[in-house]
Coordinates of all heavy atoms in Angstrom, one line a residue:
Chain A
A53 N -0.6 -16.5 -1.0 CA 0.6 -15.8 -1.4 C 1.8 -16.7 -1.6 O 2.6 -16.4 -2.4 CB 0.9 -14.7 -0.4
Q54 N 1.9 -17.7 -0.8 CA 3.1 -18.5 -0.8 C 3.0 -19.6 -1.9 O 3.0 -20.8 -1.6 CB 3.3 -19.2 0.6 CG 3.8 -18.2 1.6 CD 2.6 -17.5 2.4 OE1 1.5 -17.7 2.0 NE2 2.9 -16.7 3.4
D55 N 2.9 -19.2 -3.1 CA 2.7 -20.1 -4.2 C 3.9 -19.8 -5.2 O 3.9 -19.0 -6.0 CB 1.4 -19.8 -4.9 CG 1.1 -20.8 -6.0 OD1 2.0 -21.4 -6.5 OD2 -0.1 -20.9 -6.3
E56 N 4.9 -20.7 -5.0 CA 6.2 -20.5 -5.8 C 5.9 -20.7 -7.3 O 6.4 -20.0 -8.2 CB 7.2 -21.4 -5.3 CG 8.6 -21.1 -5.9 CD 9.7 -22.1 -5.4 OE1 9.3 -23.1 -4.8 OE2 10.9 -21.9 -5.6
L57 N 5.0 -21.7 -7.6 CA 4.8 -21.9 -9.0 C 4.1 -20.7 -9.7 O 4.5 -20.3 -10.8 CB 3.8 -23.2 -9.1 CG 3.5 -23.7 -10.5 CD1 4.8 -24.1 -11.2 CD2 2.5 -24.8 -10.5
R58 N 3.1 -20.2 -9.0 CA 2.3 -19.1 -9.6 C 3.2 -17.8 -9.7 O 3.2 -17.2 -10.8 CB 1.1 -18.8 -8.7 CG 0.3 -17.6 -9.1 CD -0.9 -17.5 -8.3 NE -1.6 -16.3 -8.6 CZ -2.9 -16.0 -8.2 NH1 -3.5 -16.9 -7.4 NH2 -3.5 -14.9 -8.5
Y59 N 3.8 -17.5 -8.6 CA 4.5 -16.2 -8.6 C 5.9 -16.2 -9.2 O 6.4 -15.3 -9.8 CB 4.5 -15.6 -7.2 CG 3.1 -15.2 -6.8 CD1 2.4 -16.0 -5.9 CD2 2.4 -14.1 -7.3 CE1 1.1 -15.7 -5.5 CE2 1.1 -13.8 -6.9 CZ 0.5 -14.6 -6.0 OH -0.8 -14.3 -5.6
H60 N 6.7 -17.3 -8.8 CA 8.1 -17.3 -9.2 C 8.2 -17.9 -10.6 O 8.8 -17.3 -11.5 CB 8.9 -18.0 -8.2 CG 10.4 -17.6 -8.3 ND1 11.1 -17.3 -7.2 CD2 11.2 -17.5 -9.4 CE1 12.4 -17.0 -7.6 NE2 12.4 -17.1 -8.9
I61 N 7.7 -19.1 -10.8 CA 7.9 -19.8 -12.0 C 7.1 -19.2 -13.1 O 7.6 -19.0 -14.2 CB 7.6 -21.3 -11.9 CG1 8.3 -21.9 -10.7 CG2 7.9 -22.1 -13.2 CD1 9.8 -22.0 -10.8
R62 N 5.8 -18.9 -12.8 CA 4.9 -18.4 -13.9 C 4.8 -16.9 -13.9 O 4.0 -16.3 -14.6 CB 3.6 -19.0 -13.7 CG 3.7 -20.5 -13.9 CD 2.3 -21.2 -14.0 NE 2.5 -22.6 -14.3 CZ 1.6 -23.5 -13.9 NH1 0.6 -23.2 -13.2 NH2 1.8 -24.8 -14.2
H63 N 5.6 -16.2 -13.1 CA 5.7 -14.7 -13.2 C 4.4 -13.9 -13.0 O 4.1 -13.0 -13.7 CB 6.3 -14.3 -14.5 CG 7.7 -14.9 -14.7 ND1 8.4 -14.7 -15.8 CD2 8.5 -15.6 -13.9 CE1 9.6 -15.3 -15.7 NE2 9.7 -15.8 -14.5
D64 N 3.5 -14.4 -12.1 CA 2.2 -13.8 -12.0 C 2.2 -12.3 -12.0 O 1.3 -11.6 -12.6 CB 1.5 -14.4 -10.8 CG 0.0 -14.0 -10.8 OD1 -0.8 -14.7 -11.4 OD2 -0.4 -13.0 -10.1
L65 N 3.1 -11.7 -11.2 CA 3.0 -10.3 -11.0 C 3.8 -9.4 -12.0 O 3.9 -8.2 -11.9 CB 3.5 -9.9 -9.6 CG 2.7 -10.5 -8.4 CD1 3.4 -10.3 -7.1 CD2 1.3 -9.9 -8.4
F66 N 4.4 -10.1 -13.0 CA 5.4 -9.4 -13.8 C 4.8 -9.0 -15.2 O 3.7 -9.6 -15.6 CB 6.7 -10.2 -14.0 CG 7.4 -10.4 -12.7 CD1 7.2 -11.6 -11.9 CD2 8.2 -9.4 -12.2 CE1 7.9 -11.7 -10.7 CE2 8.9 -9.6 -11.0 CZ 8.7 -10.8 -10.2
L67 N 5.5 -8.2 -15.9 CA 5.1 -7.8 -17.2 C 5.1 -9.0 -18.1 O 6.0 -9.8 -18.0 CB 6.1 -6.7 -17.7 CG 5.9 -6.2 -19.2 CD1 4.6 -5.5 -19.4 CD2 7.1 -5.3 -19.5
R68 N 4.2 -9.1 -19.1 CA 4.3 -10.2 -20.1 C 5.0 -9.6 -21.3 O 4.7 -8.6 -21.8 CB 2.9 -10.6 -20.5 CG 1.9 -11.0 -19.4 CD 2.5 -12.2 -18.6 NE 1.5 -12.8 -17.7 CZ 1.4 -12.5 -16.4 NH1 2.3 -11.6 -15.8 NH2 0.5 -13.0 -15.6
P69 N 6.1 -10.4 -21.7 CA 6.9 -9.9 -22.8 C 6.1 -9.6 -24.1 O 6.5 -8.8 -24.9 CB 7.9 -11.0 -23.0 CG 8.0 -11.7 -21.7 CD 6.6 -11.6 -21.1
A70 N 4.9 -10.3 -24.2 CA 4.1 -10.1 -25.4 C 3.6 -8.7 -25.4 O 3.3 -8.1 -26.5 CB 3.0 -11.1 -25.5
Q71 N 3.5 -8.1 -24.2 CA 3.0 -6.7 -24.2 C 4.1 -5.7 -24.5 O 3.9 -4.7 -25.2 CB 2.3 -6.4 -22.8 CG 1.9 -4.9 -22.7 CD 1.0 -4.7 -21.5 OE1 0.7 -5.6 -20.7 NE2 0.5 -3.5 -21.4
Q72 N 5.3 -6.0 -23.9 CA 6.4 -5.0 -24.1 C 7.7 -5.8 -23.7 O 7.8 -6.5 -22.7 CB 6.2 -3.8 -23.1 CG 7.1 -2.7 -23.4 CD 7.0 -2.2 -24.9 OE1 7.9 -2.5 -25.7 NE2 5.9 -1.6 -25.3
T73 N 8.7 -5.6 -24.6 CA 10.0 -6.3 -24.3 C 11.0 -5.4 -25.0 O 10.8 -4.3 -25.4 CB 10.0 -7.7 -24.8 OG1 11.2 -8.3 -24.3 CG2 9.9 -7.9 -26.3
M74 N 12.3 -6.0 -25.0 CA 13.4 -5.3 -25.6 C 14.3 -6.3 -26.2 O 14.1 -7.5 -26.0 CB 14.1 -4.5 -24.6 CG 14.5 -5.2 -23.3 SD 14.2 -4.2 -21.8 CE 12.5 -4.1 -21.7
T75 N 15.3 -5.9 -27.0 CA 16.2 -6.8 -27.6 C 17.5 -6.7 -26.8 O 17.8 -5.7 -26.1 CB 16.5 -6.6 -29.1 OG1 17.1 -5.3 -29.2 CG2 15.2 -6.6 -29.8
F76 N 18.4 -7.7 -26.9 CA 19.6 -7.8 -26.2 C 20.7 -8.3 -27.0 O 20.6 -9.2 -27.8 CB 19.4 -8.6 -24.9 CG 20.7 -8.8 -24.2 CD1 21.2 -7.8 -23.4 CD2 21.5 -9.9 -24.4 CE1 22.4 -7.9 -22.8 CE2 22.8 -10.0 -23.8 CZ 23.2 -9.0 -23.0
R77 N 21.9 -7.7 -26.8 CA 23.2 -8.3 -27.4 C 24.3 -7.9 -26.5 O 24.2 -7.0 -25.6 CB 23.4 -7.8 -28.8 CG 23.6 -6.2 -28.8 CD 23.8 -5.7 -30.2 NE 24.0 -4.2 -30.1 CZ 24.4 -3.5 -31.1 NH1 24.6 -4.0 -32.3 NH2 24.5 -2.2 -31.0
N78 N 25.4 -8.6 -26.6 CA 26.5 -8.3 -25.7 C 27.4 -7.2 -26.2 O 28.0 -6.5 -25.4 CB 27.4 -9.6 -25.5 CG 26.8 -10.6 -24.5 OD1 26.6 -11.7 -24.8 ND2 26.6 -10.1 -23.3
N79 N 27.5 -7.1 -27.6 CA 28.4 -6.0 -28.1 C 27.9 -5.6 -29.5 O 27.1 -6.2 -30.1 CB 29.8 -6.5 -28.1 CG 30.0 -7.7 -28.9 OD1 29.8 -7.7 -30.2 ND2 30.4 -8.9 -28.3
V80 N 28.5 -4.5 -29.9 CA 28.1 -3.9 -31.2 C 28.3 -4.8 -32.4 O 27.7 -4.5 -33.4 CB 28.8 -2.5 -31.4 CG1 28.4 -1.5 -30.4 CG2 30.3 -2.7 -31.4
N81 N 29.1 -5.8 -32.3 CA 29.3 -6.7 -33.4 C 28.2 -7.8 -33.6 O 28.2 -8.5 -34.5 CB 30.6 -7.4 -33.3 CG 31.7 -6.3 -33.3 OD1 31.7 -5.3 -34.1 ND2 32.7 -6.5 -32.5
Q82 N 27.3 -7.8 -32.6 CA 26.3 -8.9 -32.6 C 25.0 -8.3 -33.1 O 24.8 -7.1 -33.0 CB 26.1 -9.5 -31.2 CG 27.3 -10.2 -30.7 CD 27.0 -10.8 -29.3 OE1 26.2 -10.2 -28.6 NE2 27.8 -11.8 -28.9
T83 N 24.1 -9.2 -33.5 CA 22.7 -8.8 -33.8 C 21.9 -9.1 -32.6 O 21.9 -10.2 -32.1 CB 22.2 -9.5 -35.0 OG1 23.0 -9.3 -36.1 CG2 20.8 -9.1 -35.4
A84 N 21.2 -8.1 -32.1 CA 20.4 -8.3 -30.9 C 19.1 -9.1 -31.2 O 18.6 -9.0 -32.3 CB 20.0 -6.9 -30.3
L85 N 18.7 -9.9 -30.2 CA 17.5 -10.7 -30.4 C 16.5 -10.3 -29.3 O 16.9 -9.9 -28.2 CB 17.8 -12.2 -30.3 CG 18.6 -12.7 -31.4 CD1 19.0 -14.2 -31.1 CD2 17.8 -12.7 -32.7
P86 N 15.2 -10.4 -29.6 CA 14.2 -10.0 -28.5 C 14.2 -10.9 -27.3 O 14.5 -12.1 -27.4 CB 12.9 -10.2 -29.3 CG 13.2 -10.3 -30.7 CD 14.6 -10.9 -30.8
I87 N 14.1 -10.4 -26.2 CA 13.9 -11.2 -24.9 C 12.4 -11.6 -24.9 O 11.5 -10.8 -24.8 CB 14.2 -10.3 -23.7 CG1 15.7 -9.8 -23.7 CG2 13.9 -11.1 -22.4 CD1 16.0 -8.9 -22.6
R88 N 12.2 -12.9 -25.0 CA 10.8 -13.4 -25.1 C 10.4 -14.0 -23.8 O 9.2 -14.4 -23.7 CB 10.7 -14.5 -26.3 CG 11.0 -13.8 -27.6 CD 10.9 -14.8 -28.7 NE 11.4 -14.3 -30.0 CZ 10.7 -13.6 -30.9 NH1 9.5 -13.3 -30.6 NH2 11.3 -13.2 -32.0
A89 N 11.3 -14.2 -22.9 CA 10.9 -14.6 -21.5 C 11.8 -13.9 -20.6 O 13.0 -14.0 -20.8 CB 11.0 -16.1 -21.4
W90 N 11.3 -13.3 -19.5 CA 12.2 -12.6 -18.6 C 13.0 -13.7 -17.8 O 12.4 -14.6 -17.2 CB 11.4 -11.8 -17.6 CG 10.5 -10.8 -18.2 CD1 9.2 -10.7 -18.1 CD2 10.9 -9.7 -19.1 NE1 8.7 -9.6 -18.9 CE2 9.8 -9.0 -19.5 CE3 12.1 -9.3 -19.6 CZ2 9.8 -7.9 -20.3 CZ3 12.2 -8.2 -20.4 CH2 11.0 -7.5 -20.8
Q91 N 14.3 -13.4 -17.7 CA 15.1 -14.3 -17.0 C 16.2 -13.5 -16.2 O 16.4 -13.7 -15.1 CB 15.8 -15.4 -17.9 CG 14.8 -16.5 -18.3 CD 15.3 -17.4 -19.4 OE1 15.9 -16.9 -20.3 NE2 15.1 -18.7 -19.2
G92 N 16.8 -12.6 -17.0 CA 18.0 -11.9 -16.4 C 17.5 -10.9 -15.4 O 18.2 -10.6 -14.4
F93 N 16.4 -10.2 -15.7 CA 15.8 -9.2 -14.7 C 14.3 -9.3 -14.9 O 13.8 -9.9 -15.9 CB 16.3 -7.8 -15.0 CG 16.4 -7.4 -16.4 CD1 15.3 -7.1 -17.2 CD2 17.7 -7.4 -17.1 CE1 15.4 -6.7 -18.5 CE2 17.7 -7.1 -18.4 CZ 16.6 -6.7 -19.1
M94 N 13.5 -8.7 -14.0 CA 12.1 -9.0 -13.9 C 11.3 -7.7 -13.9 O 11.0 -7.2 -12.8 CB 11.8 -9.8 -12.7 CG 12.5 -11.2 -12.6 SD 12.1 -12.3 -14.0 CE 10.3 -12.3 -14.0
P95 N 11.0 -7.1 -15.0 CA 10.2 -5.9 -14.9 C 8.8 -6.0 -14.3 O 8.1 -6.9 -14.6 CB 10.1 -5.5 -16.4 CG 11.1 -6.3 -17.2 CD 11.2 -7.5 -16.4
G96 N 8.5 -5.2 -13.4 CA 7.2 -5.2 -12.7 C 6.2 -4.6 -13.6 O 6.4 -4.0 -14.7
N97 N 4.9 -4.8 -13.2 CA 3.8 -4.3 -14.0 C 2.6 -4.2 -13.1 O 2.4 -5.1 -12.3 CB 3.4 -5.3 -15.1 CG 2.5 -4.7 -16.2 OD1 2.8 -3.6 -16.6 ND2 1.5 -5.5 -16.6
G98 N 1.9 -3.1 -13.1 CA 0.8 -3.0 -12.2 C 1.1 -2.0 -11.1 O 2.3 -1.7 -10.8
V99 N 0.1 -1.6 -10.4 CA 0.2 -0.6 -9.3 C 1.2 -1.1 -8.3 O 1.1 -2.3 -7.8 CB -1.1 -0.2 -8.7 CG1 -1.0 0.6 -7.5 CG2 -2.0 0.5 -9.8
G100 N 2.2 -0.3 -7.9 CA 3.2 -0.7 -7.0 C 4.5 -1.0 -7.7 O 5.6 -0.9 -7.1
G101 N 4.4 -1.4 -9.0 CA 5.6 -1.6 -9.8 C 6.5 -2.7 -9.1 O 6.0 -3.6 -8.4
G102 N 7.8 -2.5 -9.3 CA 8.8 -3.4 -8.7 C 8.7 -3.3 -7.2 O 9.1 -4.3 -6.5
G103 N 8.1 -2.2 -6.7 CA 8.0 -2.0 -5.2 C 7.1 -3.1 -4.6 O 7.1 -3.3 -3.3
L104 N 6.3 -3.7 -5.3 CA 5.4 -4.7 -4.8 C 6.1 -6.0 -4.5 O 5.8 -6.7 -3.5 CB 4.3 -5.0 -5.8 CG 3.1 -5.9 -5.3 CD1 2.2 -5.1 -4.5 CD2 2.4 -6.5 -6.5
H105 N 7.0 -6.4 -5.4 CA 7.6 -7.7 -5.2 C 9.1 -7.6 -5.1 O 9.8 -8.5 -5.5 CB 7.2 -8.6 -6.4 CG 7.3 -7.9 -7.7 ND1 8.5 -7.4 -8.2 CD2 6.4 -7.6 -8.7 CE1 8.3 -6.8 -9.4 NE2 7.0 -6.9 -9.7
W106 N 9.6 -6.5 -4.6 CA 11.0 -6.4 -4.3 C 11.4 -7.1 -3.0 O 10.5 -7.6 -2.3 CB 11.5 -5.0 -4.3 CG 11.0 -4.1 -3.1 CD1 9.8 -4.2 -2.5 CD2 11.8 -3.1 -2.5 NE1 9.7 -3.2 -1.5 CE2 10.9 -2.6 -1.4 CE3 13.0 -2.6 -2.6 CZ2 11.3 -1.6 -0.6 CZ3 13.4 -1.6 -1.7 CH2 12.6 -1.1 -0.8
N107 N 12.7 -7.3 -2.7 CA 13.1 -7.9 -1.5 C 13.0 -6.9 -0.3 O 12.8 -7.2 0.8 CB 14.6 -8.3 -1.5 CG 14.9 -9.3 -2.5 OD1 14.7 -9.1 -3.7 ND2 15.5 -10.4 -2.1
A108 N 13.1 -5.6 -0.7 CA 13.1 -4.5 0.3 C 14.5 -4.4 1.0 O 14.5 -3.9 2.2 CB 12.0 -4.6 1.2
Q109 N 15.6 -4.8 0.4 CA 16.9 -4.5 0.9 C 17.2 -3.0 0.7 O 17.2 -2.6 -0.4 CB 17.9 -5.4 0.2 CG 17.6 -6.9 0.3 CD 18.5 -7.8 -0.5 OE1 19.2 -7.4 -1.3 NE2 18.4 -9.1 -0.2
T110 N 17.3 -2.3 1.8 CA 17.1 -0.8 1.7 C 18.5 -0.1 2.0 O 18.6 0.4 3.2 CB 16.0 -0.4 2.6 OG1 14.9 -1.2 2.4 CG2 15.6 1.1 2.3
W111 N 19.4 -0.1 1.1 CA 20.7 0.4 1.3 C 20.9 1.9 0.8 O 20.4 2.2 -0.3 CB 21.7 -0.4 0.5 CG 21.9 -1.8 1.0 CD1 21.1 -2.9 0.6 CD2 22.9 -2.4 1.8 NE1 21.5 -4.0 1.2 CE2 22.6 -3.7 2.0 CE3 24.0 -1.8 2.5 CZ2 23.4 -4.6 2.7 CZ3 24.8 -2.6 3.3 CH2 24.5 -4.0 3.4
R112 N 21.6 2.6 1.6 CA 22.1 3.9 1.1 C 23.4 3.8 0.3 O 24.2 2.9 0.6 CB 22.4 4.9 2.2 CG 21.1 5.3 3.0 CD 21.5 6.3 4.1 NE 20.3 6.7 4.8 CZ 20.2 7.7 5.6 NH1 21.3 8.4 5.8 NH2 19.1 8.0 6.2
F113 N 23.6 4.6 -0.7 CA 24.9 4.6 -1.3 C 25.9 5.3 -0.4 O 25.6 6.1 0.5 CB 24.9 5.3 -2.7 CG 24.2 4.5 -3.8 CD1 23.5 3.3 -3.5 CD2 24.3 4.9 -5.1 CE1 22.9 2.6 -4.5 CE2 23.7 4.2 -6.1 CZ 23.0 3.0 -5.8
N114 N 27.2 5.0 -0.7 CA 28.3 5.6 0.1 C 28.5 7.1 -0.4 O 28.3 7.3 -1.6 CB 29.5 4.8 -0.2 CG 30.5 4.9 0.9 OD1 31.2 5.9 1.0 ND2 30.6 4.0 1.8
P115 N 28.9 8.0 0.5 CA 29.1 9.4 0.0 C 30.0 9.5 -1.2 O 29.8 10.3 -2.1 CB 29.8 10.1 1.3 CG 29.2 9.3 2.4 CD 29.0 7.9 2.0
T116 N 31.1 8.7 -1.3 CA 32.0 8.8 -2.4 C 31.4 8.3 -3.7 O 31.8 8.7 -4.8 CB 33.3 8.0 -2.2 OG1 33.0 6.7 -1.9 CG2 34.1 8.6 -1.1
D117 N 30.3 7.5 -3.6 CA 29.7 7.0 -4.8 C 29.1 8.1 -5.7 O 29.0 8.0 -6.9 CB 28.5 6.0 -4.5 CG 29.0 4.7 -4.0 OD1 30.1 4.2 -4.5 OD2 28.3 4.1 -3.1
F118 N 28.7 9.2 -5.0 CA 28.1 10.3 -5.7 C 29.1 11.2 -6.4 O 28.8 12.0 -7.3 CB 27.3 11.2 -4.7 CG 26.1 10.4 -4.2 CD1 26.1 9.8 -3.0 CD2 24.9 10.4 -5.0 CE1 25.1 9.0 -2.5 CE2 23.8 9.6 -4.5 CZ 23.9 9.0 -3.3
Q119 N 30.4 11.1 -6.0 CA 31.5 11.9 -6.7 C 32.5 10.9 -7.2 O 33.7 11.2 -7.0 CB 32.1 12.9 -5.7 CG 31.2 14.1 -5.5 CD 31.0 14.4 -4.0 OE1 30.8 13.5 -3.2 NE2 31.1 15.6 -3.7
L120 N 32.0 9.9 -7.8 CA 32.9 8.7 -8.1 C 34.1 9.1 -8.9 O 35.2 8.8 -8.6 CB 32.1 7.6 -8.7 CG 32.8 6.3 -8.8 CD1 33.1 5.7 -7.4 CD2 32.1 5.3 -9.7
K121 N 33.9 9.8 -10.0 CA 35.0 10.1 -11.0 C 36.0 11.0 -10.2 O 37.2 10.7 -10.3 CB 34.4 10.8 -12.2 CG 35.4 11.3 -13.2 CD 35.7 10.3 -14.2 CE 36.7 10.7 -15.3 NZ 36.0 11.4 -16.4
T122 N 35.5 12.0 -9.6 CA 36.4 13.0 -8.9 C 37.2 12.2 -7.9 O 38.4 12.3 -7.8 CB 35.6 14.1 -8.3 OG1 34.8 14.7 -9.3 CG2 36.5 15.2 -7.7
H123 N 36.5 11.5 -7.1 CA 37.1 10.8 -6.0 C 38.2 9.8 -6.4 O 39.3 9.8 -5.9 CB 36.1 10.0 -5.1 CG 36.7 9.2 -4.1 ND1 37.0 9.7 -2.8 CD2 37.0 7.9 -4.0 CE1 37.6 8.7 -2.1 NE2 37.6 7.6 -2.8
L124 N 37.8 8.9 -7.4 CA 38.8 7.9 -7.8 C 40.0 8.5 -8.5 O 41.1 8.1 -8.3 CB 38.1 6.9 -8.7 CG 37.1 6.0 -8.1 CD1 36.5 5.0 -9.1 CD2 37.7 5.2 -6.9
T125 N 39.8 9.6 -9.3 CA 40.9 10.2 -10.0 C 41.8 10.9 -9.0 O 43.0 10.9 -9.1 CB 40.5 11.2 -11.1 OG1 39.3 11.7 -10.8 CG2 40.4 10.5 -12.4
Q126 N 41.2 11.5 -8.0 CA 42.0 12.1 -6.9 C 42.9 11.1 -6.2 O 44.0 11.3 -5.9 CB 41.1 12.9 -5.9 CG 40.9 14.3 -6.4 CD 39.8 15.0 -5.5 OE1 39.4 14.4 -4.5 NE2 39.5 16.2 -5.9
R127 N 42.3 10.0 -5.9 CA 43.0 9.0 -5.1 C 44.0 8.2 -5.9 O 45.1 7.9 -5.4 CB 42.0 8.1 -4.4 CG 42.7 7.1 -3.4 CD 41.7 6.5 -2.4 NE 42.4 5.5 -1.6 CZ 41.8 4.7 -0.8 NH1 40.5 4.7 -0.6 NH2 42.5 3.8 -0.1

Side-chain angles (χ1 to χ4, degrees):
Chain A
Q54 288 89 353
D55 185 340
E56 191 179 10
L57 184 62
R58 171 174 178 169
Y59 293 104
H60 200 134
I61 308 292
R62 296 188 175 149
H63 300 177
D64 190 83
L65 296 171
F66 298 95
L67 175 66
R68 304 300 189 266
Q71 179 167 0
Q72 196 52 255
T73 188
M74 50 221 70
T75 65
F76 174 79
R77 61 179 180 173
N78 280 122
N79 59 61
V80 293
N81 301 318
Q82 295 177 338
T83 302
L85 292 173
I87 297 174
R88 296 180 192 272
W90 302 121
Q91 288 171 313
F93 44 77
M94 300 301 306
N97 195 44
V99 171
L104 185 79
H105 44 62
W106 69 323
N107 299 56
Q109 303 175 347
T110 314
W111 294 83
R112 293 182 179 194
F113 284 12
N114 203 282
T116 55
D117 287 328
F118 293 95
Q119 284 130 313
L120 191 66
K121 175 89 180 273
T122 306
H123 173 83
L124 291 179
T125 29
Q126 271 171 7
R127 183 163 178 187

